[in-house]
Amino acid sequence: MRSVWIWIFTLTSLTAMAQQEPNYEESKVPAVVLPDIFLSEKGKWIRTIEEWEKVRRPEIFQLFESEVYGKIPKDFDSMNFEKVKESLNPYPESADLEEINITVRRNGKYHTMRVNLFLPKSGKGPFPVILLINYLPKYPDGKLVDESFWPVKKLIERGFATASFHAETVAPDLTESYQQGIISTLYPEQIGQPNGLKAFGAWGWAAMRAMDYFEQHPQIDSKKSVLVGHSRTGKTALWTSANDPRWAITYANESGCGGAAISRRKYGETVEAINRRFPYWFADNFRKYNEREEALPLDQHMLPGLIAPRAVYYSSAREDRWADPKGEYLGLSLGSRVFSEIYGKKAVFEQEFEALSGPVHLESVGYHIREGKHDLTWEDWRIFLEFVSKTYKE
Ligand code: GTR
């Protein structure tokens, strides 16, 4: 009898494991039927900027907020900026380093977060600014300097100011402790809400506070601001920009599932896999779609349109199958219809994913795929910066 139970148990666990095995075969990708970006909930076809901005965009935004990412609260009572001196400036020749503590108060409580900003010493400001949302555990809060992941020196040489904050300055990147930052201190009423503030929303909130700082800085041209995220913070960057129109260019590198990639393809990471491993990233409502991607009232091709007409850039790495490079490309090429059909930009991706031979830099949308693994590399930055120069010239 005992051996029968063991046998049944093993069989059940094997079946469960088999279900969780990621799919990496294109032939096994299900036939995907996507919700139409331009068909309103009342069944009206959306054609004009006014219809888009008054009707369809708010509908899509509301769906992402309630079903995928959760809210980013915008209210607080006060905020103040304090410059501190804790770290050595690694580039004293070419840049000034500002370490800023931003303290936000709400309902008698407060939270302090840290932003580090490098400003070029040469050239005449105000400078365009690039903000990177960092989450790498090997760089503790406020100490990140890595010439590949965050190439400060090269960005400064090219005339940009550049800043970064660590995700953990507002919400730890862990299931057990993600609330131990702004969520429990400033916005406790969000806890337990099915569409409430979670880690991505908290990190996005922090990017907004960094932007508040840039806006009042005489040496920063905040109208030329770039928000950059890799992987989990690429997902965050996209949702942040959908919430905050102050970012001129948004760059999501290898953001994959719940970011750039079409969820219904179920290639690589799935909604179930991401919610199981990272239950604190997305709104609780997102779990309704575990192994039920077809039931989503939206898909990720609708996300770039929430940022339009401001520029959006995606990139992928060939070996990063977990993030589904083809799904990322499809997400942007289908999403760019808002740029071309509503805003009249030259933003039509003409190549199939399989035929791509180099970067595709169109008007306000761009994409590249490079060889190699999941990472944010200097090659990614270099190609992306070409897009930035082109975009700021247009
Ligand atoms: C993975 C996760 C991905 C991606 C990545 C990262 O473990 O499954 O969705 O976000 O982490 O952020 O590096």
Side-chain angles (χ1 to χ4, degrees), residues 23 28-35 64 67-69 235 255-275 282 286 289-303 322-324 326-328 330-332 334:
N23 173 41
K28 291 200 183 132
V29 169
V32 169
V33 182
L34 293 172
F64 273 107
E67 303 305 294
V68 181
Y69 300 107
K235 309 179 215 279
S255 63
C257 180
I262 303 287
S263 301
R264 280 171 173 77
R265 280 173 47 79
K266 305 182 201 181
Y267 184 103
E269 187 168 34
T270 61
V271 170
E272 188 276 333
I274 205 165
N275 280 329
F282 297 91
F286 198 35
Y289 308 100
N290 287 354
E291 295 180 11
R292 290 179 69 235
E293 284 86 348
E294 319 62 52
L296 277 162
L298 47 77
D299 211 313
Q300 298 305 119
H301 67 306
M302 291 164 144
L303 192 54
W322 183 239
D324 185 12
K326 180 169 177 172
E328 296 182 314
L330 285 173
L332 186 61
L334 295 170

Side-chain angles (χ1 to χ4, degrees), residues 135-136 173 200 203 230-235 254-258 269 273-274 277-278 281-282 320 322-323 374:
Y135 71 93
L136 298 182
D173 194 6
F200 283 169
W203 302 344
H230 164 63
S231 204
R232 66 197 67 185
T233 67
K235 309 179 215 279
E254 298 158 26
S255 63
C257 180
E269 187 168 34
I274 205 165
R277 289 179 61 210
F278 305 103
W281 280 357
F282 297 91
D320 185 21
W322 183 239
H374 187 68

Side-chain angles (χ1 to χ4, degrees), residues 160 226 249 383-393:
F160 291 96
V226 182
I249 302 182
I383 306 172
F384 168 62
L385 291 175
E386 287 166 13
F387 173 79
V388 173
S389 316
K390 178 175 184 275
T391 303
Y392 284 153
K393 263 187 219 123

Side-chain angles (χ1 to χ4, degrees), residues 116-186:
N116 290 332
L117 165 68
F118 290 94
L119 290 153
K121 270 192 167 155
S122 66
K124 217 168 91 51
F127 303 101
V129 65
I130 299 182
L131 176 71
L132 171 70
I133 313 176
N134 172 36
Y135 71 93
L136 298 182
K138 63 178 170 170
Y139 301 107
D141 191 6
K143 303 283 185 294
L144 168 73
V145 171
D146 174 290
E147 274 304 319
S148 169
F149 195 77
W150 185 28
V152 173
K153 202 156 170 263
K154 294 186 173 116
L155 297 174
I156 292 285
E157 276 162 17
R158 284 163 176 75
F160 291 96
T162 185
S164 177
F165 67 85
H166 200 286
E168 305 211 334
T169 194
V170 286
D173 194 6
L174 287 170
T175 311
E176 312 77 72
S177 54
Y178 76 97
Q179 292 172 345
Q180 291 172 11
I182 63 161
I183 300 180
S184 62
T185 311
L186 299 183

